[in-house]
C-alpha cells in the first residue's frame, strides 16, 4: 500500500517499472479526494523482485521502491 497526500482532488496514476526502467504496468485510480489516500497495488501479476513506482497527480509526481515477494 502507498500513502498519498493530495492538496486538492485530482486523478492519480501509478506507473510501475523494473530496475532497468521498463514500464510493466500503469494503474489509474481516477479522481481521489484531497487529504490522505491509501493506494493498494496488486503485485500478483509481477515477478518477485524490486520495482519502482511513480505516483502522478496533476503536475506533481514522486517515485519510490517496492519489493514483490511471492
Amino acid at each position: 500500500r502507498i500513502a498519498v497526500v493530495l492538496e486538492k482532488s485530482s486523478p492519480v496514476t501509478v506507473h510501475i517499472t523494473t530496475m532497468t526502467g521498463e514500464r510493466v504496468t500503469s494503474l489509474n485510480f481516477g479522481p481521489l479526494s484531497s487529504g490522505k489516500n491509501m493506494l493498494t497495488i496488486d503485485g500478483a501479476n509481477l515477478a518477485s523482485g524490486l520495482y519502482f513506482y511513480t505516483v502522478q497527480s496533476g503536475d506533481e509526481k514522486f517515485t519510490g521502491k517496492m519489493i514483490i515477494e511471492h
Side-chain angles (χ1 to χ4, degrees):
R1 294 178 57 151
I2 302 168
V4 176
V5 179
L6 302 176
E7 289 186 23
K8 60 183 180 179
S9 178
S10 63
V12 174
T13 303
V14 177
H15 304 290
I16 299 176
T17 58
T18 64
M19 291 290 296
T20 60
E22 176 187 356
R23 185 178 292 180
V24 291
T25 191
S26 293
L27 306 167
N28 183 355
F29 286 90
L32 297 179
S33 60
S34 61
K36 186 175 182 179
N37 294 275
M38 296 300 290
L39 308 179
T40 301
I41 306 296
D42 181 6
N45 294 329
L46 300 174
S48 294
L50 181 63
Y51 293 87
F52 292 104
Y53 62 86
T54 300
V55 178
Q56 185 165 0
S57 172
D59 293 334
E60 297 183 46
K61 63 180 175 179
F62 70 90
T63 300
K65 290 186 243 184
M66 68 178 183
I67 297 173
I68 301 293
E69 295 180 323
H70 297 288

